[in-house]
Amino acid sequence: MKKFIYALLIAALPGLTIAAGGVQLDKAPVDLHDKASLQRGAQLFANYCLSCHSAQYMRFNRMARDLEMSDEQVRENLMFTTDKVGETMNVAMPEDQAETWFGTAPPDLSVLARARGADYLYTYFRSFYVDDSRPFGVNNAVFPDVGMPHALWELEGLKKPVLETVVHGDQETQVITGYQQVTEGSMTEAEYDRAAADLTNFMVYIAEPIRTERERLGWWVLGFLGVFFVFAYLLKKEYWRDIH
């Protein structure tokens, strides 16, 4: 019985909605069939992420085919580090300069959505706040003491946390209950939430480009197994009827 309970807990781990920092994660509106969202997310990724982070397992031409974009559209709008559409999405920043500026080279983002989950990324993009004690002047509620700037601050603006004191026994802790806008961004809150959703959607896509095809084939496999089960069951009944 205990083994069964442990197995259920392990199976439920990917569905947990509490981040490492103890923050409740918001549900990411992921839809890999929404090509417009994926295209907007690709644009955001190229403009705001690809200057520091790579996605070395994704090729531009594969992305163009999956997102229903022409090679020319990709060259004009998404390719800033190479002119070959068959190249992977490599970082624009040299690794030695990244180590000098950040202390370590920023990680590759190819499979981050599979490692962290879509809800984590969606909440992370929307959880930066002003913190003068940090080297880049910002912190993140989902990733405390984050070692990077808020790359999307021009879109979202800057905000400060609204803190509430929570008492547990003899201990008092500060909990973030909301945010207050300090500097306006170029987007409204609703527009930025959609941008964060688009970027999350794209990162979920690059983490497993074959996912929609895999899921489509999965239904065909289940259908085949269902039909095969019927014939196998009828064959079994016919076989045992002759034996009896």
Side-chain angles (χ1 to χ4, degrees):
M1 184 63 180
K2 288 184 177 180
K3 291 182 178 179
F4 177 72
I5 294 175
Y6 292 154
L8 286 179
L9 290 174
I10 292 173
L13 283 177
L16 293 179
T17 57
I18 303 295
V23 177
Q24 189 77 23
L25 300 182
D26 298 326
K27 181 64 176 177
V30 172
D31 182 4
L32 296 180
H33 297 283
D34 189 344
K35 302 299 183 183
S37 172
L38 290 172
Q39 291 172 8
R40 292 191 301 266
Q43 185 75 60
L44 288 167
F45 188 88
N47 288 338
Y48 295 97
C49 302
L50 200 56
S51 57
C52 296
H53 297 276
S54 62
Q56 59 183 341
Y57 300 121
M58 171 55 62
R59 294 187 182 278
F60 286 103
N61 55 356
R62 168 62 189 269
M63 179 185 63
R65 183 174 71 250
D66 291 345
L67 272 55
E68 299 178 355
M69 302 174 67
S70 67
D71 289 351
E72 190 60 32
Q73 287 177 310
V74 172
R75 287 192 185 95
E76 291 180 358
N77 301 299
L78 303 178
M79 294 174 58
F80 307 121
T81 61
T82 180
D83 57 355
K84 297 180 180 179
V85 75
E87 289 286 337
T88 57
M89 302 180 73
N90 289 317
V91 65
M93 183 194 312
E95 185 173 341
D96 56 343
Q97 291 185 10
E99 292 179 353
T100 301
W101 295 337
F102 299 107
T104 183
D108 182 86
L109 301 182
S110 299
V111 295
L112 185 61
R114 297 194 69 178
R116 292 288 191 175
D119 295 347
Y120 178 96
L121 291 176
Y122 179 59
T123 310
Y124 171 82
F125 293 139
R126 297 157 56 248
S127 298
F128 278 93
Y129 61 89
V130 175
D131 184 350
D132 294 333
S133 68
R134 300 299 301 157
F136 295 102
V138 292
N139 210 329
N140 192 282
V142 175
F143 190 163
D145 298 334
V146 63
M148 64 170 285
H150 183 12
L152 304 175
W153 76 269
E154 291 179 323
L155 305 180
E156 184 188 26
L158 297 174
K159 57 192 181 183
K160 64 180 182 180
V162 177
L163 301 175
E164 179 180 325
T165 301
V166 177
V167 179
H168 294 284
D170 297 333
Q171 294 184 341
E172 293 185 355
T173 56
Q174 296 287 316
V175 178
I176 298 176
T177 58
Y179 300 94
Q180 182 178 347
Q181 201 74 28
V182 176
T183 303
E184 295 294 331
S186 61
M187 292 182 173
T188 64
E189 183 178 354
E191 289 171 340
Y192 181 76
D193 285 348
R194 190 188 76 164
D198 292 338
L199 182 55
T200 301
N201 204 25
F202 177 74
M203 292 184 66
V204 170
Y205 155 72
I206 64 173
E208 189 182 3
I210 198 65
R211 177 174 167 177
T212 55
E213 180 68 12
R214 172 176 60 79
E215 291 175 348
R216 186 186 68 81
L217 290 176
W219 287 111
W220 282 102
V221 171
L222 290 175
F224 169 78
L225 291 176
V227 173
F228 177 78
F229 172 79
V230 173
F231 284 102
Y233 177 74
L234 294 175
L235 180 63
K236 173 254 183 187
K237 288 189 64 177
E238 183 68 22
Y239 177 81
W240 283 104
R241 185 177 64 178
D242 293 342
I243 292 178
H244 290 304

